Amino acid sequence: MRKADIIRLFAGPIRNILEKFEQDFDRVYEIRLRIGAPLQIIYDGRDYFLKANGGGTFLPRNAYIVTSEDVCETMEYIGNYSLYAFEDELRQGFLTVQGGHRVGIAGQVIVEDGKVKGVSPITCVNVRLSHQILGCGDTLFPYLWDEGEFCHTLIISAPRCGKTTLLRDIVRQLSDGNERYPGMTVGVVDERSEIAGCYQGIPQNDVGIRTDVLDGCPKAEGMMMLIRSMSPQVVAVDEIGTAGDIKALESVLNCGCKILATIHGNTIDDVRKKPLLSSMVNAHIFERYVLLSNRMRAGTVQAVYDGRGTCLFERERFAC
């Protein structure tokens, strides 16, 4: 990730601040602009405000205050002066830019006939930087197999614990294969463009040579589309949870495909308490559970369990 490619997305005053920011830009995860509020940055998992000289501070009163002109100019750069071309994406509250970085927006929502037609004016912008860490799943990968078969796997993680980064690397390794594990055809439903980070339909992240991506597609519909058209051996999705997701997962199982998915939570019990997922957990559908935390830093693998709750691995290990 090149710093210059990121800061060119921002308005002049903010670009100047980011140019003066001397810390490792690979450890920047979010840059947030809110009109009338301090310029915010998430760096190495911690929340800071930025001063006009590029320094970080915990004190809002010392930070640069974002203006409406900053937000307007930033959106012009992000949309390459053609925001109207991104109306469909913006209607969903975000768009993906080159490099796989996701720009989320908030502001005055325009609703017609009960449906969101757009957001105008945009008053908040959150640039979430895509961080691909090739090989972050290396130590975990062998635990996801049993007698030469990839296991139905659920990654359980609280927000900001690296689940999407880990999911992406497992997809890549499944797709490419190696001398021990054969490559598999993987279908990815990338509803929010975070896994493959597609830009104009082309993955910006390395998701493997045998991977097919449905970008910006709702998970439930996407899983069914992949089954009907792409014959995947593994279907990968991020953040399951709705009734439609569960129904689609059941269809994936019935077709003989393997599941690789993530969900918000801290323990298997958290997942079991979710009404829509309890039946799948109690029926031991998932053959592997991976628990993540950010106790060491984002991507700490706490434990791996099989489908019946037997611990296969338990000690904090950095993955992402």
Side-chain angles (χ1 to χ4, degrees):
M1 178 178 64
R2 294 178 63 243
K3 179 177 180 180
D5 293 336
I6 300 301
I7 64 176
R8 67 177 177 80
L9 299 173
F10 293 91
I14 294 177
R15 188 183 307 169
N16 292 334
I17 293 171
L18 294 175
E19 286 176 343
K20 297 172 184 175
F21 184 71
E22 297 180 350
Q23 303 302 317
D24 182 3
F25 225 72
D26 284 334
R27 295 163 75 177
V28 176
Y29 288 86
E30 295 183 6
I31 303 171
R32 288 180 178 263
L33 285 64
R34 301 179 180 94
I35 294 176
L39 176 61
Q40 184 183 8
I41 190 169
I42 306 298
Y43 178 79
D44 204 19
R46 299 193 67 183
D47 185 342
Y48 297 91
F49 301 113
L50 288 183
K51 298 185 288 187
N53 65 3
T57 178
F58 292 113
L59 301 175
R61 65 176 180 272
N62 293 335
Y64 176 84
I65 302 301
V66 176
T67 68
S68 58
E69 290 79 11
D70 290 333
V71 170
C72 183
E73 185 180 344
T74 295
M75 290 306 301
E76 290 291 343
Y77 290 144
I78 287 170
N80 198 24
Y81 297 98
S82 301
L83 271 181
Y84 63 87
F86 298 93
E87 286 180 354
D88 289 341
E89 292 94 331
L90 291 173
R91 192 177 298 124
Q92 301 177 66
F94 69 92
L95 59 85
T96 302
V97 297
Q98 191 167 7
H101 312 297
R102 192 177 74 163
V103 180
I105 62 167
Q108 180 65 52
V109 177
I110 302 170
V111 178
E112 291 183 10
D113 299 324
K115 295 182 179 180
V116 175
K117 304 297 291 184
V119 181
S120 182
I122 295 170
T123 57
C124 307
V125 178
N126 178 26
V127 179
R128 295 187 62 180
L129 306 188
S130 176
H131 290 78
Q132 179 159 28
I133 305 178
L134 298 178
C136 70
D138 285 355
T139 56
L140 174 66
F141 197 63
Y143 290 95
L144 307 183
W145 295 75
D146 186 24
E147 297 183 355
E149 292 284 333
F150 181 72
C151 298
H152 298 299
T153 298
L154 183 64
I155 300 172
I156 304 170
S157 167
R160 292 186 183 175
C161 288
K163 66 182 182 306
T164 305
T165 303
L166 181 60
L167 174 70
R168 182 188 304 120
D169 198 60
I170 294 172
V171 166
R172 179 188 63 83
Q173 295 199 41
L174 284 171
S175 178
D176 287 348
N178 56 38
E179 62 279 359
R180 182 176 178 184
Y181 304 106
M184 304 177 73
T185 300
V186 183
V188 173
V189 186
D190 202 358
E191 184 169 10
R192 295 183 297 180
S193 304
E194 289 187 300
I195 303 171
C198 289
Y199 176 70
Q200 298 181 347
I202 301 174
Q204 303 294 291
N205 294 317
D206 184 356
V207 289
I209 59 176
R210 298 178 180 87
T211 299
D212 304 303
V213 180
L214 287 177
D215 181 56
C217 181
K219 288 187 285 292
E221 290 87 342
M223 283 187 269
M224 300 306 299
M225 290 171 63
L226 287 171
I227 290 171
R228 287 193 294 263
S229 61
M230 302 307 294
S231 303
Q233 294 170 282
V234 180
V235 172
V237 292
D238 200 10
E239 297 184 11
I240 60 172
T242 69
D245 294 346
I246 305 308
K247 185 176 180 180
L249 287 174
E250 292 171 348
S251 296
V252 171
L253 290 167
N254 291 334
C255 292
C257 300
K258 295 296 185 177
I259 296 171
L260 173 61
T262 72
I263 191 170
H264 281 141
N266 295 300
T267 65
I268 297 176
D269 283 338
D270 284 349
V271 178
R272 186 178 286 111
K273 292 174 183 177
K274 298 178 186 290
L276 295 173
L277 273 170
S278 59
S279 60
M280 296 188 76
V281 176
N282 293 330
H284 312 298
I285 298 299
F286 292 105
E287 299 162 315
R288 294 291 186 270
Y289 295 96
V290 179
L291 304 186
L292 294 185
S293 77
N294 60 1
R295 288 173 58 178
M296 292 171 61
R297 60 175 294 185
T300 301
V301 177
Q302 285 190 275
V304 180
Y305 297 91
D306 68 12
R308 296 186 176 276
T310 302
C311 185
L312 306 177
F313 164 87
E314 185 174 25
R315 73 177 175 276
E316 293 186 336
R317 177 181 292 178
F318 173 68
C320 301

